[in-house]
Amino acid sequence: MAKVKGRQRKTRQGSGGQGGSKDDVNEKYGYLFVHGVGNQHRKRGTEKSVLRHMGKPIFDPLSRIIGESSVKWEEFPERPEASPKSPYGEPAHAIASVQVPNGPSAEVVVAEAVWSDRFSRPSRWMRGILTLRYLARNLPAVLMLIGPDHRDGFFLLDDGRREEVGARAVVRYVFRPWSYVASPEVRHIMRVVWRLLTLAVLVSAILALAAVHPGASIAVGLILLVVLSTRLNLAEHVIMASARDTERERVIDYLEDRLRWLERRCDQVVIIAHSQGGYLVHQLLARDGGRNQVKVARFVGVGSGLKPITLLRLTRNRAICAVSWLLPAASLCLAWGVAPLTASGSDVTRILAAMKSATMALAIPIGALTPETASEGLTRALDAIRPRSASDYLPFGDMAGMGRAHWAVIAAGALLTAVSSMITWRYIRTMDRNLLALPSRPGKRKMVWREYSSQHDMVGRMLLPSLPKGAEQEVTPVLAHPLRDHTLYFSSDGVLVRQLAADLLQDIGGPARPFRVTGEWQTKISDHTQALRKQHDRRRMFHGLLMLVTAIVVLLPRVLHGATLMGAVANTWLPLGVSIVVLSGVFTSRGRKSLRQAILALDNVLRNGSAGASQVNLLPASRRALPTVALLLAAMLAAFGALWLTWIQRLMPGWRINHPGAGLVAGVAFLVVAAATASGYRVKMRWLLIPAGLVMIPPLTSQVPHPANVATWEVAPGLLSSTFIVLLVGIAATALTRSSLVSLPSR
């Protein structure tokens, strides 16, 4: 293997009247890749090695866009033989030569740092026991999975983005129903409720399976204990970083050695770290006042485990550990204490009864309508929601089920909350607010720190503790799935590798005269990233609304029969679990396909320098409220109308009402289209006309006996409700037709 020169400078040669001077020199760059959790040494020499999985994908977009001959990749295997300068041997690395058309050629040294075998582990059978002990001690850490993320920064962080509004704006906000749904507060609550629902379904499924199949559950537990005693126990990597200081420092020593190896061969170093590697590199760069930042030009954390591992380390503080246990205990106490206030479902029952009574007059034939029947229906609807006693005026309705035990538990929950607040103000808030800030070394060049994460990465999406200003980057669209997002950042058909490739072009172009193509790449990548992010938001909201409709349909019958919400979730875990899995699979598959199509379009734009066609057509948020409300009302009328038609047919055996259930199918279709409209999708007119045609089937095809002097339409059952539904569909269609779409990507 040929030696790589320790320092190499090349005179930049321009073309087309842009000749370079002797002062315009390129500094040689080295890229160090640090992996996340996993036994990476077992993958060396394969396509899943750190060098090929994280390093090579950054150069692949250059080959696709500029040309196959523009990148040459020469790889060298790891040499574990120790030397005075390299106690850990020589890492696996590659020399990548990049030739840009009408530009200079530059070499980049790419090296990997595989730390997973550089710390000592307990004995085989102690691993599982110690892991279970650590997990039991830090059990409340599971709340991090449903905690706030980047999207909640507007709501939780006082960073100056929230502006004061006047009285006119407040009035406009209050009297616009859509403003509640679009507000950051409501979106934050909906996300937390969504995650709590998923967690409750998962826990209920585990408990139900354990009760039905105890033998299988014991076998699974034993298998899990055996797995925790092997090298497959990846949780031990996190425990090493968060709780074992000696082993963690040994790993950081190894990373420092790899950094020194690269510094001896390059002028500037870029460190790209994934997952737990981000935390370890952060600790490396924070050593001794930042001594390791001398040649580090940029530190890039991808789906970094910096925040969760930092929080796990903080739980070693007794005050923080106490708060982490007291807050869940207080939440459970308050939830159980107020359970009787929400268990009866009387408010929901009354609202549904009012809707049913109000739609009765719309389902019976027009010829049978009289002032008396209309007044009777209206009286029933109002009587259903009229308070029965003074307690009904209270916010929680009937309080007869509240006993001493419930009030005592509520008081205990309030007391625990107060104690947690006191501990937080006394100990936790006094900690350094710049907990994660890196020391800055004096000099002309400052190290650039960037953190990338998707919106749904279970590790990188965390909001707190906050990073220094400028470190947090815009969210990176990956797949919109909490698990797969964390592993697909370096996929060859991803956005992040193209962003890093553009940074690479900027690096090898030199500080004096960077490639002109780099600015164009950054702009176009930014435009397509915005388009993908908006597409992701639209798809995710549609997914959530569909799951909300499914949950309401499944849970509502049990809640109406007196079950608590958590009890209803526990008893219906199977349909809810199947719905979650099926919808997640469908939307994940669709998201992956859309991402590939967008990346192909981006590559074509970067290759040809054209503007490119629009990838996403969004309905503006200000144009979604009217059609959404109209379609929801149409769905309600269709569903209750179908129920009344079925009831009328049973009362009148001589009447032949054809297909009374068509209204239920139409109601479901209207709900789906309303969810799509609220999410920002472009709804086609046939999606509205088909369910509107379904609700017209019963009144047009039913055969009802009537006198000869009475028109047929006067005795058609459900004609009035169908007319109102068609009117609402017309309003929605008109509103959608008059709304102009926003096409992305665009500036």
Side-chain angles (χ1 to χ4, degrees):
M1 180 185 65
K3 291 185 178 180
V4 182
K5 296 182 180 180
R7 185 174 183 88
Q8 179 181 2
R9 296 185 178 271
K10 296 183 178 180
T11 303
R12 181 170 181 171
Q13 299 296 333
S15 62
Q18 296 180 359
S21 66
K22 295 181 180 180
D23 295 331
D24 295 339
V25 293
N26 292 338
E27 292 182 318
K28 190 166 187 176
Y29 271 78
Y31 274 61
L32 180 65
F33 290 90
V34 184
H35 66 88
V37 170
N39 299 305
Q40 303 297 334
H41 260 124
R42 294 175 175 264
K43 303 174 183 178
R44 57 186 174 187
T46 68
E47 292 301 321
K48 294 183 179 181
S49 66
V50 177
L51 193 62
R52 297 182 188 176
H53 176 69
M54 296 179 62
K56 199 170 185 300
I58 296 178
F59 296 86
D60 289 340
L62 302 178
S63 301
R64 289 186 184 183
I65 299 169
I66 301 176
E68 292 291 340
S69 60
S70 62
V71 177
K72 295 180 180 179
W73 179 272
E74 186 179 6
E75 191 170 322
F76 304 93
E78 181 180 3
R79 298 178 61 182
E81 297 84 3
S83 65
K85 290 186 177 181
S86 298
Y88 296 93
E90 189 175 75
H93 63 283
I95 305 298
S97 178
V98 181
Q99 174 67 54
V100 180
N102 300 324
S105 175
E107 285 187 351
V108 180
V109 182
V110 184
E112 67 177 16
V114 183
W115 52 264
S116 56
D117 287 346
R118 299 298 175 179
F119 64 95
S120 301
R121 293 175 171 84
S123 61
R124 177 168 182 151
W125 294 109
M126 286 297 295
R127 294 178 192 171
I129 297 175
L130 293 177
T131 301
L132 292 177
R133 188 188 71 173
Y134 183 84
L135 293 177
R137 182 181 182 275
N138 295 278
L139 187 61
V142 72
L143 296 178
M144 292 191 298
L145 301 179
I146 60 174
D149 54 33
H150 300 303
R151 296 165 294 177
D152 304 315
F154 184 91
F155 171 58
L156 296 177
L157 296 183
D158 185 14
D159 53 3
R161 286 180 291 179
R162 306 194 70 173
E163 299 178 358
E164 295 293 332
V165 294
R168 182 178 179 181
V170 172
V171 172
R172 186 168 61 251
Y173 175 84
V174 170
F175 289 97
R176 289 178 61 185
W178 183 253
S179 61
Y180 294 104
V181 181
S183 64
E185 294 83 355
V186 173
R187 292 201 303 268
H188 169 69
I189 294 173
M190 291 176 64
R191 277 192 291 272
V192 173
V193 171
W194 169 271
R195 295 169 191 168
L196 282 173
L197 174 64
T198 306
L199 186 62
V201 170
L202 179 61
V203 173
S204 301
I206 294 175
L207 294 178
L209 292 176
V212 176
H213 305 286
S217 302
I218 295 174
V220 171
L222 293 176
I223 292 174
L224 179 61
L225 183 60
V226 172
V227 170
L228 292 178
S229 302
T230 65
R231 293 180 61 88
L232 296 177
N233 182 4
L234 301 182
E236 192 178 26
H237 295 182
V238 180
I239 297 174
M240 175 273 299
S242 60
R244 301 173 187 168
D245 296 341
T246 303
E247 302 300 330
R248 183 183 66 256
E249 292 302 317
R250 185 179 301 176
V251 171
I252 297 175
D253 290 339
Y254 166 77
L255 295 180
E256 187 171 1
D257 175 81
R258 289 299 184 242
L259 177 61
R260 294 288 180 268
W261 183 91
L262 202 56
E263 286 178 342
R264 290 194 295 269
R265 290 158 176 79
C266 304
D267 302 312
Q268 296 291 324
V269 175
V270 175
I271 304 179
I272 300 178
H274 176 236
S275 187
Q276 183 172 328
Y279 171 79
L280 296 174
V281 173
H282 179 273
Q283 297 297 298
L284 170 68
L285 298 176
R287 267 189 171 183
D288 299 335
R291 74 183 187 197
N292 294 315
Q293 302 178 23
V294 176
K295 284 192 175 183
V296 178
R298 190 164 61 254
F299 164 41
V300 180
V302 180
S304 177
L306 175 59
K307 294 179 180 179
I309 296 179
T310 300
L311 289 180
L312 288 176
R313 283 182 56 80
L314 290 177
T315 56
R316 298 194 298 180
N317 183 301
R318 294 182 179 180
I320 297 178
C321 184
V323 170
S324 67
W325 279 98
L326 289 176
L327 285 178
S331 301
L332 291 176
C333 290
L334 293 174
W336 188 84
V338 301
L341 303 179
T342 58
S344 63
S346 58
D347 294 336
V348 177
T349 306
R350 282 191 239 163
I351 293 173
L352 292 178
M355 292 180 180
K356 183 176 68 174
S357 301
T359 55
M360 178 186 65
L362 301 178
I364 63 177
I366 299 176
L369 280 176
T370 62
E372 290 77 12
T373 58
S375 176
E376 182 183 1
L378 181 60
T379 301
R380 289 180 179 178
L382 294 176
D383 187 65
I385 59 177
R386 184 179 294 116
R388 299 293 189 274
S389 62
S391 63
D392 290 338
Y393 289 97
L394 298 174
F396 296 104
D398 186 14
M399 303 183 69
M402 293 293 294
R404 294 181 179 179
H406 288 280
W407 286 114
V409 172
I410 291 177
L415 179 61
L416 292 177
T417 303
V419 172
S420 300
S421 300
M422 293 173 59
I423 296 176
T424 301
W425 280 97
R426 176 64 178 85
Y427 296 100
I428 299 178
R429 290 185 65 90
T430 57
M431 292 184 177
D432 186 11
R433 292 181 179 271
N434 296 323
L435 183 65
L436 301 179
L438 288 172
S440 179
R441 290 182 58 86
K444 296 181 179 180
R445 291 189 178 182
K446 302 293 184 182
M447 184 191 70
V448 177
W449 180 10
R450 298 176 185 171
E451 289 285 336
Y452 293 96
S453 174
S454 74
Q455 286 184 329
H456 290 86
D457 180 2
M458 297 182 68
V459 178
R461 73 183 181 191
M462 291 178 56
L463 179 65
L464 300 172
S466 58
L467 295 177
K469 186 177 181 180
E472 207 85 61
Q473 305 298 306
E474 289 290 335
V475 292
T476 300
V478 183
L479 190 60
H481 191 278
L483 294 176
R484 291 292 287 162
D485 268 14
H486 189 63
T487 61
L488 291 178
Y489 286 107
F490 296 94
S491 175
S492 59
D493 54 355
V495 178
L496 182 62
V497 293
R498 283 155 179 79
Q499 178 68 52
L500 297 177
D503 294 338
L504 173 66
L505 289 181
Q506 182 74 27
D507 292 338
I508 64 179
R513 293 185 179 180
F515 294 142
R516 289 188 301 170
V517 72
T518 303
E520 299 174 3
W521 275 39
Q522 296 283 12
T523 301
K524 293 171 182 177
I525 291 174
S526 176
D527 292 344
H528 281 74
T529 299
Q530 180 195 31
L532 282 171
R533 189 161 54 246
K534 293 295 184 181
Q535 187 183 48
H536 153 265
D537 293 340
R538 180 181 66 175
R539 183 171 58 248
R540 188 64 180 178
M541 186 174 182
F542 189 31
H543 181 193
L545 291 176
L546 287 183
M547 192 60 221
L548 177 63
V549 172
T550 305
I552 290 175
V553 172
V554 173
L555 298 176
L556 189 59
R558 292 189 176 271
V559 173
L560 292 179
H561 283 83
T564 62
L565 181 60
M566 294 304 297
V569 172
N571 293 327
T572 58
W573 66 267
L574 184 58
L576 287 177
V578 171
S579 302
I580 290 175
V581 172
V582 171
L583 286 177
S584 296
V586 170
F587 278 88
T588 299
S589 175
R590 180 57 189 171
R592 192 65 180 159
K593 182 179 179 181
S594 301
L595 181 63
R596 289 195 184 103
Q597 293 174 349
I599 292 302
L600 289 176
L602 174 59
D603 287 347
N604 186 58
V605 169
L606 295 177
R607 185 182 302 111
N608 301 327
S610 58
S614 63
Q615 299 292 316
V616 182
N617 294 316
L618 287 173
L619 183 67
S622 59
R623 298 291 184 177
R624 302 176 191 176
L626 179 60
T628 300
V629 173
L631 291 173
L632 288 177
L633 292 176
M636 183 195 71
L637 291 178
F640 282 107
L643 294 176
W644 275 114
L645 289 177
T646 304
W647 181 74
I648 291 173
Q649 188 177 29
R650 292 180 178 178
L651 290 180
M652 302 293 182
W655 291 16
R656 183 180 176 184
I657 301 177
N658 296 324
H659 309 293
L664 287 176
V665 178
V668 174
F670 282 133
L671 282 178
V672 174
V673 177
T677 303
S679 304
Y681 280 91
R682 180 181 183 179
V683 177
K684 298 180 180 179
M685 291 300 105
R686 63 173 177 269
W687 297 351
L688 300 177
L689 296 179
I690 292 176
L694 289 177
V695 298
M696 296 299 297
I697 292 178
L700 294 179
T701 61
S702 298
Q703 298 178 4
V704 179
H706 60 280
N709 59 347
V710 177
T712 304
W713 63 269
E714 292 186 17
V715 294
L719 180 62
L720 191 59
S721 63
S722 301
T723 303
F724 275 103
I725 291 173
V726 172
L727 179 62
L728 290 171
V729 171
I731 293 174
T734 303
L736 293 173
T737 304
R738 294 173 62 88
S739 301
S740 58
L741 300 175
V742 178
S743 298
L744 298 174
S746 62
R747 295 304 297 166

